[in-house]
Coordinates of all heavy atoms in Angstrom, one line a residue:
M2 N 0.8 -1.2 0.0 CA 0.0 0.0 0.0 C 0.9 1.2 0.0 O 1.9 1.3 0.7 CB -0.9 0.0 1.2 CG -1.8 1.1 1.4 SD -2.9 0.8 2.7 CE -3.6 2.3 2.8
N3 N 0.5 2.2 -0.8 CA 1.3 3.5 -0.9 C 0.5 4.6 -0.2 O -0.6 5.0 -0.6 CB 1.5 3.8 -2.4 CG 2.5 4.9 -2.6 OD1 2.8 5.6 -1.6 ND2 2.9 5.1 -3.8
D4 N 1.1 5.2 0.8 CA 0.4 6.3 1.6 C 0.8 7.7 1.0 O 0.4 8.7 1.6 CB 0.8 6.2 3.1 CG 0.2 5.0 3.8 OD1 -0.9 4.6 3.3 OD2 0.8 4.6 4.7
S5 N 1.5 7.7 0.0 CA 2.0 9.0 -0.5 C 0.8 9.8 -1.2 O -0.1 9.1 -1.7 CB 3.1 8.9 -1.5 OG 2.7 8.2 -2.7
V6 N 0.9 11.1 -1.2 CA -0.1 11.9 -1.8 C 0.5 12.4 -3.1 O 1.6 12.8 -3.2 CB -0.5 13.1 -0.9 CG1 -1.5 14.0 -1.6 CG2 -1.0 12.6 0.4
P7 N -0.3 12.4 -4.2 CA 0.2 12.9 -5.5 C 0.6 14.4 -5.3 O 0.1 15.1 -4.5 CB -0.9 12.8 -6.4 CG -1.9 11.8 -5.8 CD -1.6 11.9 -4.4
E8 N 1.7 14.8 -6.0 CA 2.2 16.1 -5.8 C 1.2 17.2 -6.1 O 1.2 18.3 -5.4 CB 3.4 16.4 -6.8 CG 4.7 15.8 -6.3 CD 5.9 16.2 -7.2 OE1 5.8 17.2 -7.9 OE2 6.9 15.5 -7.2
D9 N 0.3 17.1 -7.0 CA -0.6 18.1 -7.3 C -1.7 18.3 -6.2 O -2.5 19.2 -6.2 CB -1.3 17.9 -8.7 CG -2.0 16.6 -8.8 OD1 -1.8 15.7 -7.9 OD2 -2.7 16.4 -9.7
E10 N -1.7 17.3 -5.2 CA -2.7 17.4 -4.2 C -2.1 17.8 -2.8 O -2.7 17.8 -1.8 CB -3.4 16.1 -4.0 CG -4.3 15.8 -5.2 CD -5.1 14.5 -5.0 OE1 -5.1 13.9 -3.9 OE2 -5.6 14.0 -6.0
V11 N -0.8 18.0 -2.8 CA -0.1 18.4 -1.5 C -0.4 19.8 -1.1 O -0.3 20.7 -1.9 CB 1.5 18.2 -1.7 CG1 2.2 18.7 -0.4 CG2 1.8 16.8 -2.0
P12 N -1.0 20.0 0.1 CA -1.3 21.4 0.5 C 0.0 22.2 0.7 O 1.0 21.7 1.2 CB -2.1 21.2 1.8 CG -1.7 19.9 2.3 CD -1.3 19.0 1.1
Q13 N -0.1 23.5 0.3 CA 1.1 24.4 0.4 C 0.9 25.3 1.6 O 1.0 26.5 1.5 CB 1.2 25.2 -0.9 CG 1.4 24.4 -2.1 CD 2.8 23.6 -2.1 OE1 3.7 24.2 -1.6 NE2 2.8 22.4 -2.6
T14 N 0.7 24.8 2.8 CA 0.5 25.6 4.0 C 1.8 25.8 4.8 O 1.9 26.8 5.5 CB -0.5 24.9 5.0 OG1 0.0 23.6 5.3 CG2 -1.9 24.8 4.3
A15 N 2.8 25.1 4.6 CA 4.0 25.3 5.3 C 5.1 25.7 4.4 O 5.2 25.3 3.3 CB 4.4 24.0 6.0
T16 N 6.0 26.5 5.0 CA 7.2 27.0 4.2 C 8.4 26.8 5.0 O 8.5 27.1 6.2 CB 7.0 28.5 3.9 OG1 5.7 28.8 3.3 CG2 8.1 29.1 3.1
A17 N 9.5 26.4 4.3 CA 10.8 26.2 5.0 C 11.5 27.5 5.0 O 11.5 28.2 4.0 CB 11.5 25.1 4.3
A18 N 12.3 27.8 6.1 CA 13.1 29.0 6.2 C 14.3 28.9 5.2 O 14.6 29.9 4.6 CB 13.5 29.2 7.6
E19 N 14.9 27.8 5.2 CA 16.0 27.6 4.3 C 15.9 26.2 3.6 O 15.3 25.3 4.2 CB 17.3 27.6 5.1 CG 17.7 28.9 5.7 CD 19.0 28.9 6.5 OE1 19.8 27.9 6.3 OE2 19.2 29.8 7.3
P20 N 16.5 26.0 2.5 CA 16.5 24.7 1.9 C 17.1 23.7 2.8 O 18.1 23.9 3.4 CB 17.3 24.9 0.6 CG 17.4 26.4 0.3 CD 17.2 27.0 1.7
G21 N 16.4 22.6 3.0 CA 16.9 21.5 3.8 C 16.4 21.7 5.3 O 16.6 20.8 6.1
A22 N 15.9 22.8 5.6 CA 15.4 23.0 7.0 C 14.0 22.4 7.1 O 13.3 22.3 6.2 CB 15.4 24.5 7.3
P23 N 13.6 22.0 8.3 CA 12.3 21.5 8.5 C 11.2 22.6 8.2 O 11.4 23.7 8.6 CB 12.2 21.0 10.0 CG 13.4 21.8 10.7 CD 14.4 22.1 9.6
A24 N 10.2 22.1 7.6 CA 9.1 23.1 7.3 C 8.3 23.4 8.6 O 7.9 22.6 9.3 CB 8.2 22.4 6.3
E25 N 8.1 24.7 8.8 CA 7.3 25.2 9.9 C 6.2 26.1 9.3 O 6.4 26.8 8.3 CB 8.2 26.0 10.9 CG 9.2 25.2 11.5 CD 10.1 26.0 12.5 OE1 9.7 27.1 12.8 OE2 11.2 25.6 12.8
A26 N 5.1 26.1 10.0 CA 4.0 27.0 9.5 C 4.4 28.4 9.7 O 4.8 28.9 10.8 CB 2.7 26.7 10.2
V27 N 4.4 29.2 8.6 CA 4.7 30.6 8.6 C 3.4 31.4 8.3 O 2.9 31.3 7.2 CB 5.8 31.0 7.6 CG1 6.1 32.5 7.6 CG2 7.1 30.2 7.9
P28 N 2.9 32.2 9.3 CA 1.6 32.9 9.0 C 1.9 34.0 7.9 O 2.9 34.6 7.9 CB 1.3 33.5 10.3 CG 2.5 33.6 11.1 CD 3.4 32.5 10.6
E29 N 0.9 34.2 7.1 CA 0.9 35.2 6.1 C 0.8 36.6 6.9 O 0.0 36.7 7.8 CB -0.3 35.1 5.2 CG -0.2 34.0 4.2 CD 0.9 34.3 3.1 OE1 1.0 35.5 2.7 OE2 1.6 33.4 2.7
P30 N 1.6 37.5 6.5 CA 1.5 38.9 7.2 C 0.2 39.5 6.8 O -0.3 39.4 5.7 CB 2.7 39.6 6.6 CG 3.1 39.0 5.3 CD 2.7 37.5 5.5
A31 N -0.4 40.2 7.8 CA -1.6 40.9 7.5 C -1.3 42.3 6.9 O -1.2 43.3 7.6 CB -2.4 41.1 8.8
Y32 N -1.1 42.3 5.6 CA -0.7 43.5 4.9 C -1.7 43.9 3.9 O -2.0 43.0 3.0 CB 0.7 43.3 4.3 CG 1.1 44.5 3.5 CD1 1.5 45.7 4.1 CD2 1.2 44.4 2.1 CE1 1.9 46.8 3.3 CE2 1.6 45.5 1.3 CZ 1.9 46.7 2.0 OH 2.3 47.8 1.2
D33 N -2.2 45.0 3.9 CA -3.2 45.5 2.9 C -2.5 46.7 2.2 O -2.5 47.8 2.8 CB -4.5 45.9 3.6 CG -5.5 46.4 2.6 OD1 -5.2 46.3 1.3 OD2 -6.6 46.8 3.0
P34 N -2.0 46.5 1.0 CA -1.3 47.6 0.4 C -2.2 48.9 0.1 O -1.7 50.0 -0.1 CB -0.8 47.0 -0.9 CG -1.7 45.9 -1.2 CD -2.1 45.4 0.2
A35 N -3.5 48.7 0.2 CA -4.4 49.8 -0.1 C -4.7 50.6 1.2 O -5.3 51.7 1.1 CB -5.7 49.4 -0.8
A36 N -4.4 50.0 2.3 CA -4.7 50.7 3.6 C -3.8 51.8 3.9 O -2.6 51.7 3.7 CB -4.7 49.7 4.7
P37 N -4.3 53.0 4.3 CA -3.4 54.1 4.7 C -2.6 53.7 5.9 O -3.1 53.1 6.8 CB -4.3 55.3 5.0 CG -5.6 54.6 5.3 CD -5.7 53.3 4.5
A38 N -1.3 54.1 5.9 CA -0.5 53.8 7.1 C 0.3 55.1 7.4 O 0.9 55.7 6.5 CB 0.5 52.7 6.7
P39 N 0.3 55.5 8.7 CA 1.1 56.7 9.1 C 2.5 56.4 8.9 O 3.0 55.3 9.1 CB 0.7 56.9 10.5 CG 0.2 55.6 11.0 CD -0.4 54.9 9.8
L40 N 3.3 57.4 8.6 CA 4.7 57.3 8.5 C 5.5 57.3 9.8 O 6.6 56.9 9.9 CB 5.3 58.4 7.6 CG 4.8 58.4 6.2 CD1 5.3 59.6 5.4 CD2 5.2 57.1 5.5
N41 N 4.8 57.8 10.8 CA 5.4 57.9 12.2 C 6.7 58.6 12.2 O 7.7 58.2 12.8 CB 5.5 56.5 12.8 CG 4.2 55.9 13.1 OD1 3.2 56.5 13.4 ND2 4.1 54.6 12.9
V42 N 6.8 59.7 11.4 CA 8.0 60.6 11.4 C 7.8 61.6 12.5 O 6.8 62.4 12.4 CB 8.1 61.2 10.0 CG1 9.3 62.2 10.0 CG2 8.3 60.1 8.9
P43 N 8.7 61.7 13.4 CA 8.6 62.8 14.4 C 8.7 64.2 13.8 O 9.5 64.4 12.9 CB 9.7 62.5 15.4 CG 10.7 61.6 14.6 CD 9.9 60.9 13.6
R44 N 7.9 65.1 14.4 CA 7.9 66.4 13.8 C 7.9 67.4 15.0 O 7.2 67.3 15.9 CB 6.6 66.6 13.0 CG 6.5 67.9 12.2 CD 5.4 67.8 11.2 NE 4.1 67.3 11.6 CZ 3.1 68.0 11.9 NH1 3.1 69.3 11.8 NH2 2.0 67.5 12.3
V45 N 8.8 68.4 14.9 CA 8.9 69.5 15.8 C 8.0 70.6 15.4 O 8.1 71.1 14.2 CB 10.3 70.0 16.0 CG1 10.4 71.1 17.0 CG2 11.2 68.8 16.4
P46 N 7.0 71.0 16.2 CA 6.1 72.1 15.8 C 6.9 73.4 15.4 O 7.8 73.8 16.1 CB 5.2 72.4 17.0 CG 5.3 71.1 17.8 CD 6.7 70.6 17.5
S47 N 6.5 74.0 14.3 CA 7.2 75.2 13.8 C 6.3 76.4 14.0 O 6.9 77.5 14.0 CB 7.5 75.1 12.3 OG 6.3 75.0 11.6
G48 N 5.0 76.3 14.2 CA 4.2 77.4 14.4 C 3.6 78.0 13.1 O 2.6 78.6 13.1
N49 N 4.3 77.9 12.0 CA 3.9 78.5 10.7 C 3.1 77.5 9.8 O 2.1 77.9 9.2 CB 5.0 79.1 9.9 CG 5.6 80.3 10.6 OD1 4.9 81.0 11.3 ND2 6.9 80.5 10.4
V50 N 3.6 76.3 9.7 CA 3.0 75.4 8.7 C 2.4 74.2 9.3 O 2.0 73.3 8.6 CB 4.2 75.0 7.8 CG1 4.7 76.1 7.0 CG2 5.3 74.2 8.5
D51 N 2.3 74.1 10.6 CA 1.7 72.9 11.3 C 0.3 72.6 10.8 O 0.0 71.4 10.6 CB 1.7 73.1 12.8 CG 3.1 73.2 13.3 OD1 4.0 72.4 12.9 OD2 3.4 74.0 14.2
A52 N -0.6 73.6 10.7 CA -1.9 73.3 10.2 C -1.9 72.7 8.8 O -2.8 71.8 8.5 CB -2.8 74.6 10.3
R53 N -1.0 73.2 8.0 CA -1.0 72.6 6.6 C -0.5 71.2 6.6 O -1.0 70.4 5.9 CB 0.0 73.5 5.8 CG -0.5 74.9 5.6 CD -1.8 74.9 4.8 NE -2.4 76.2 4.8 CZ -3.6 76.5 4.4 NH1 -4.3 75.5 3.9 NH2 -4.0 77.7 4.4
L54 N 0.5 70.9 7.4 CA 1.0 69.5 7.5 C 0.0 68.6 8.1 O -0.2 67.5 7.7 CB 2.3 69.5 8.3 CG 3.5 70.2 7.7 CD1 4.7 70.2 8.6 CD2 3.8 69.6 6.3
D55 N -0.8 69.1 9.1 CA -1.9 68.3 9.7 C -3.0 68.0 8.7 O -3.6 67.0 8.7 CB -2.5 69.0 10.9 CG -1.5 69.1 12.1 OD1 -0.6 68.3 12.2 OD2 -1.8 69.9 13.0
R56 N -3.1 69.0 7.8 CA -4.2 68.8 6.7 C -3.8 67.6 5.8 O -4.7 67.0 5.3 CB -4.2 70.1 5.9 CG -5.1 70.0 4.6 CD -6.5 70.5 4.8 NE -7.1 70.7 3.6 CZ -7.9 69.9 2.9 NH1 -8.1 68.7 3.5 NH2 -8.5 70.1 1.8
L57 N -2.6 67.2 5.7 CA -2.2 66.1 4.9 C -2.8 64.8 5.4 O -3.1 63.9 4.6 CB -0.7 65.9 4.9 CG 0.1 66.9 4.0 CD1 1.6 66.7 4.2 CD2 -0.2 66.8 2.6
A58 N -3.1 64.7 6.7 CA -3.7 63.5 7.3 C -5.1 63.3 6.7 O -5.6 62.2 6.7 CB -3.8 63.7 8.8
D59 N -5.8 64.4 6.2 CA -7.1 64.3 5.6 C -7.1 63.3 4.4 O -8.1 62.7 4.1 CB -7.6 65.6 5.2 CG -7.9 66.5 6.4 OD1 -8.0 66.0 7.5 OD2 -8.1 67.8 6.2
A60 N -5.9 63.3 3.7 CA -5.8 62.4 2.5 C -6.0 60.9 2.9 O -6.4 60.1 2.0 CB -4.5 62.7 1.8
D61 N -5.6 60.6 4.1 CA -5.7 59.2 4.5 C -7.1 58.6 4.5 O -7.3 57.4 4.3 CB -5.2 59.0 6.0 CG -3.7 59.2 6.1 OD1 -3.0 59.2 5.0 OD2 -3.2 59.4 7.2
H62 N -8.1 59.5 4.6 CA -9.5 59.0 4.7 C -10.2 59.2 3.4 O -11.4 59.0 3.3 CB -10.2 59.7 5.8 CG -9.4 59.6 7.1 ND1 -9.3 58.5 7.8 CD2 -8.7 60.6 7.8 CE1 -8.5 58.7 8.9 NE2 -8.2 59.9 8.9
L63 N -9.5 59.6 2.3 CA -10.2 59.9 1.0 C -9.7 58.9 0.0 O -8.7 58.2 0.1 CB -9.8 61.3 0.5 CG -10.1 62.5 1.4 CD1 -9.5 63.7 0.8 CD2 -11.7 62.6 1.4
A64 N -10.6 58.7 -1.0 CA -10.2 57.9 -2.1 C -9.0 58.6 -2.8 O -8.8 59.8 -2.7 CB -11.4 57.7 -3.1
T65 N -8.3 57.8 -3.6 CA -7.1 58.4 -4.3 C -7.4 59.6 -5.1 O -6.6 60.6 -5.1 CB -6.5 57.3 -5.2 OG1 -6.2 56.1 -4.4 CG2 -5.2 57.8 -5.8
D66 N -8.6 59.7 -5.8 CA -8.9 60.8 -6.6 C -9.1 62.1 -5.7 O -9.1 63.2 -6.2 CB -10.0 60.6 -7.5 CG -11.3 60.2 -6.8 OD1 -11.3 59.9 -5.6 OD2 -12.4 60.2 -7.5
G67 N -9.3 61.9 -4.4 CA -9.5 63.1 -3.5 C -8.2 63.6 -3.0 O -8.2 64.7 -2.4
H68 N -7.1 62.9 -3.2 CA -5.8 63.3 -2.7 C -5.3 64.6 -3.3 O -4.7 65.5 -2.7 CB -4.8 62.2 -2.9 CG -5.0 61.0 -2.0 ND1 -4.0 60.1 -1.9 CD2 -6.0 60.7 -1.2 CE1 -4.5 59.1 -1.1 NE2 -5.7 59.5 -0.6
V69 N -5.6 64.8 -4.6 CA -5.1 65.9 -5.4 C -5.6 67.2 -4.7 O -4.8 68.1 -4.6 CB -5.5 65.8 -6.8 CG1 -5.2 67.1 -7.6 CG2 -4.9 64.6 -7.5
E70 N -6.8 67.3 -4.4 CA -7.4 68.5 -3.8 C -6.6 68.8 -2.5 O -6.3 70.0 -2.2 CB -8.9 68.3 -3.5 CG -9.5 69.6 -2.9 CD -11.0 69.4 -2.6 OE1 -11.6 68.4 -3.2 OE2 -11.5 70.2 -1.8
V71 N -6.4 67.8 -1.6 CA -5.7 68.0 -0.4 C -4.3 68.5 -0.6 O -3.8 69.5 0.0 CB -5.7 66.8 0.5 CG1 -4.9 66.9 1.7 CG2 -7.2 66.4 0.9
Y72 N -3.6 67.8 -1.5 CA -2.2 68.2 -1.8 C -2.1 69.6 -2.4 O -1.2 70.3 -2.0 CB -1.5 67.2 -2.8 CG -1.4 65.8 -2.2 CD1 -1.4 64.7 -3.1 CD2 -1.3 65.5 -0.9 CE1 -1.3 63.4 -2.6 CE2 -1.2 64.2 -0.4 CZ -1.2 63.2 -1.2 OH -1.1 61.9 -0.7
E73 N -3.0 69.9 -3.3 CA -3.0 71.3 -3.8 C -3.2 72.3 -2.8 O -2.6 73.4 -2.8 CB -3.9 71.4 -5.0 CG -3.5 70.7 -6.2 CD -4.5 70.8 -7.4 OE1 -5.6 71.1 -7.2 OE2 -4.1 70.4 -8.5
D74 N -4.2 72.1 -1.9 CA -4.5 73.0 -0.8 C -3.3 73.2 0.1 O -2.9 74.3 0.5 CB -5.7 72.5 0.0 CG -6.1 73.4 1.1 OD1 -6.1 74.6 0.9 OD2 -6.3 72.9 2.3
V75 N -2.6 72.1 0.5 CA -1.4 72.2 1.3 C -0.3 72.9 0.6 O 0.3 73.8 1.2 CB -1.0 70.7 1.8 CG1 0.4 70.8 2.5 CG2 -2.0 70.1 2.7
H76 N -0.1 72.6 -0.7 CA 0.9 73.3 -1.4 C 0.7 74.8 -1.5 O 1.6 75.6 -1.3 CB 1.0 72.7 -2.9 CG 2.1 73.3 -3.7 ND1 1.8 74.2 -4.7 CD2 3.4 73.2 -3.7 CE1 2.9 74.6 -5.2 NE2 3.9 74.0 -4.7
R77 N -0.6 75.2 -1.8 CA -0.9 76.6 -1.8 C -0.6 77.3 -0.5 O -0.1 78.3 -0.4 CB -2.4 76.7 -2.2 CG -2.9 78.1 -2.5 CD -4.3 78.1 -3.0 NE -5.2 77.1 -2.6 CZ -5.5 76.0 -3.4 NH1 -5.0 75.9 -4.6 NH2 -6.3 75.1 -2.9
G78 N -1.0 76.6 0.6 CA -0.8 77.2 1.9 C 0.7 77.3 2.3 O 1.1 78.3 2.8
L79 N 1.5 76.3 1.9 CA 2.9 76.4 2.2 C 3.6 77.4 1.3 O 4.4 78.2 1.8 CB 3.6 75.0 2.0 CG 3.2 73.9 2.9 CD1 3.7 72.6 2.5 CD2 3.6 74.2 4.3
R80 N 3.1 77.5 0.1 CA 3.7 78.6 -0.8 C 3.4 80.0 -0.3 O 4.2 80.8 -0.3 CB 3.1 78.4 -2.2 CG 3.8 79.3 -3.3 CD 3.2 79.1 -4.6 NE 1.8 79.4 -4.6 CZ 0.8 78.6 -5.1 NH1 1.2 77.5 -5.7 NH2 -0.4 79.0 -5.0
D81 N 2.1 80.2 0.2 CA 1.7 81.5 0.7 C 2.5 81.8 2.0 O 3.0 83.0 2.2 CB 0.2 81.5 1.1 CG -0.6 81.4 -0.2 OD1 -0.1 81.7 -1.3 OD2 -1.8 81.2 0.0
A82 N 2.8 80.8 2.8 CA 3.6 81.0 4.0 C 5.0 81.4 3.7 O 5.6 82.3 4.3 CB 3.6 79.8 4.9
L83 N 5.6 80.8 2.6 CA 7.0 81.1 2.2 C 7.0 82.5 1.6 O 7.9 83.3 1.8 CB 7.5 80.1 1.3 CG 7.8 78.7 1.9 CD1 8.2 77.7 0.8 CD2 9.0 78.9 2.9
T84 N 6.0 82.8 0.8 CA 5.9 84.1 0.1 C 5.8 85.2 1.2 O 6.4 86.3 1.1 CB 4.7 84.2 -0.8 OG1 4.9 83.2 -1.8 CG2 4.6 85.5 -1.5
A85 N 5.1 85.0 2.3 CA 4.9 86.0 3.3 C 6.2 86.2 4.0 O 6.4 87.4 4.5 CB 3.9 85.5 4.3
L86 N 7.1 85.3 4.0 CA 8.4 85.5 4.6 C 9.3 86.5 3.8 O 10.1 87.2 4.4 CB 9.2 84.2 4.8 CG 8.6 83.2 5.7 CD1 9.4 81.9 5.6 CD2 8.6 83.7 7.1
D87 N 9.0 86.6 2.5 CA 9.7 87.5 1.7 C 9.2 89.0 1.8 O 9.9 89.9 1.3 CB 9.7 87.1 0.2 CG 10.5 85.8 0.0 OD1 11.4 85.6 0.8 OD2 10.2 85.1 -0.9
V88 N 8.0 89.2 2.3 CA 7.5 90.5 2.4 C 8.2 91.3 3.5 O 8.3 90.8 4.7 CB 6.0 90.5 2.7 CG1 5.4 91.8 2.9 CG2 5.2 89.7 1.6
R89 N 8.7 92.4 3.2 CA 9.5 93.2 4.2 C 8.5 94.2 4.8 O 7.8 94.9 4.2 CB 10.6 93.9 3.5 CG 11.6 93.0 2.9 CD 12.9 93.7 2.5 NE 13.9 92.6 2.2 CZ 14.5 92.6 1.0 NH1 14.3 93.5 0.1 NH2 15.3 91.6 0.8
P90 N 8.6 94.3 6.1 CA 7.7 95.2 6.8 C 8.3 96.6 6.6 O 9.4 96.8 6.3 CB 7.9 94.8 8.3 CG 9.1 94.1 8.4 CD 9.4 93.4 7.1
G91 N 7.4 97.6 6.7 CA 7.8 99.0 6.6 C 6.9 99.7 5.6 O 5.8 99.4 5.4
V92 N 7.5 100.7 5.0 CA 6.8 101.5 4.0 C 6.4 100.7 2.8 O 7.3 100.1 2.2 CB 7.6 102.8 3.6 CG1 6.9 103.7 2.6 CG2 8.0 103.5 4.9
P93 N 5.1 100.8 2.4 CA 4.8 100.0 1.2 C 5.5 100.6 -0.1 O 5.8 101.8 -0.1 CB 3.3 100.1 1.1 CG 2.9 101.2 2.1 CD 4.0 101.4 3.0
A94 N 5.7 99.7 -1.0 CA 6.3 100.2 -2.3 C 5.4 101.1 -3.0 O 4.2 101.0 -3.0 CB 6.6 98.9 -3.1
P95 N 6.0 102.1 -3.7 CA 5.1 103.0 -4.5 C 4.4 102.3 -5.6 O 4.9 101.4 -6.2 CB 6.1 104.1 -5.0 CG 7.5 103.5 -4.9 CD 7.4 102.4 -3.8
T96 N 3.2 102.8 -5.9 CA 2.4 102.1 -6.9 C 2.4 102.8 -8.3 O 2.0 102.3 -9.3 CB 1.0 102.0 -6.5 OG1 0.5 103.3 -6.1 CG2 0.9 101.1 -5.2
G97 N 2.9 104.1 -8.3 CA 2.9 104.9 -9.5 C 4.1 104.6 -10.4 O 5.0 103.8 -10.0
R98 N 4.2 105.2 -11.6 CA 5.3 105.0 -12.5 C 6.5 105.8 -11.9 O 6.3 106.9 -11.3 CB 5.0 105.6 -13.8 CG 4.0 104.7 -14.6 CD 3.7 105.3 -15.9 NE 3.3 106.7 -15.8 CZ 3.2 107.6 -16.7 NH1 3.4 107.2 -18.0 NH2 2.8 108.8 -16.5
P99 N 7.7 105.3 -12.1 CA 8.9 106.1 -11.6 C 8.9 107.4 -12.3 O 8.7 107.6 -13.5 CB 10.1 105.2 -12.1 CG 9.5 103.9 -12.5 CD 8.1 104.1 -12.8
G100 N 9.2 108.5 -11.5 CA 9.4 109.8 -12.0 C 8.1 110.6 -12.0 O 8.0 111.8 -12.3
S101 N 7.0 109.9 -11.8 CA 5.7 110.7 -11.7 C 5.5 111.2 -10.3 O 5.9 110.6 -9.4 CB 4.5 109.8 -12.2 OG 4.3 108.7 -11.2
A102 N 4.8 112.3 -10.3 CA 4.5 113.0 -9.0 C 3.3 112.3 -8.3 O 2.4 111.9 -9.0 CB 4.2 114.5 -9.2
P103 N 3.4 112.1 -7.0 CA 2.2 111.6 -6.3 C 1.0 112.5 -6.4 O 1.2 113.7 -6.4 CB 2.7 111.4 -4.9 CG 4.0 112.1 -4.7 CD 4.5 112.4 -6.1
Q104 N -0.1 112.0 -6.4 CA -1.3 112.8 -6.6 C -2.1 112.9 -5.3 O -2.2 112.2 -4.5 CB -2.2 112.3 -7.7 CG -1.5 112.3 -9.0 CD -2.4 111.8 -10.1 OE1 -3.6 111.5 -9.9 NE2 -1.8 111.6 -11.3

């Protein structure tokens, strides 16, 4: 009597760590590539752009086609914050043509 199972009917539930090593059951990792996952990058609050960076978390709960709106909003806010750094306080620049008398 032959107790062997044909190769095409052998269940593939166990995986060996190395060739020649005894086969042990290795559980499949619970990984969903579509699930949002935080990066867990530490961030020191800056005071200027924190609200914009926090807004990026909104993209985690949206479908992919909704990410563009969030990214554009954050980009616009960060660009405005950087532009504001270039504005020099003091007397506003003249609005007339050079050489013309103020009215």
Side-chain angles (χ1 to χ4, degrees):
M2 178 171 172
N3 187 350
D4 290 333
S5 67
V6 178
E8 278 187 24
D9 58 345
E10 293 180 15
V11 175
Q13 299 295 324
T14 57
T16 305
E19 293 181 16
E25 296 179 17
V27 177
E29 286 288 324
Y32 175 72
D33 181 5
L40 297 176
N41 295 324
V42 175
R44 188 166 45 103
V45 177
S47 66
N49 291 331
V50 297
D51 296 318
R53 297 297 171 187
L54 295 176
D55 290 342
R56 171 97 165 94
L57 287 174
D59 294 344
D61 290 345
H62 308 289
L63 298 173
T65 305
D66 60 347
H68 291 189
V69 173
E70 181 181 342
V71 173
Y72 295 154
E73 287 178 347
D74 180 47
V75 171
H76 180 257
R77 186 173 30 258
L79 292 173
R80 187 182 60 229
D81 291 347
L83 289 172
T84 302
L86 293 174
D87 290 336
V88 176
R89 295 194 173 124
V92 180
T96 57
R98 292 181 302 170
S101 65
Q104 299 178 7

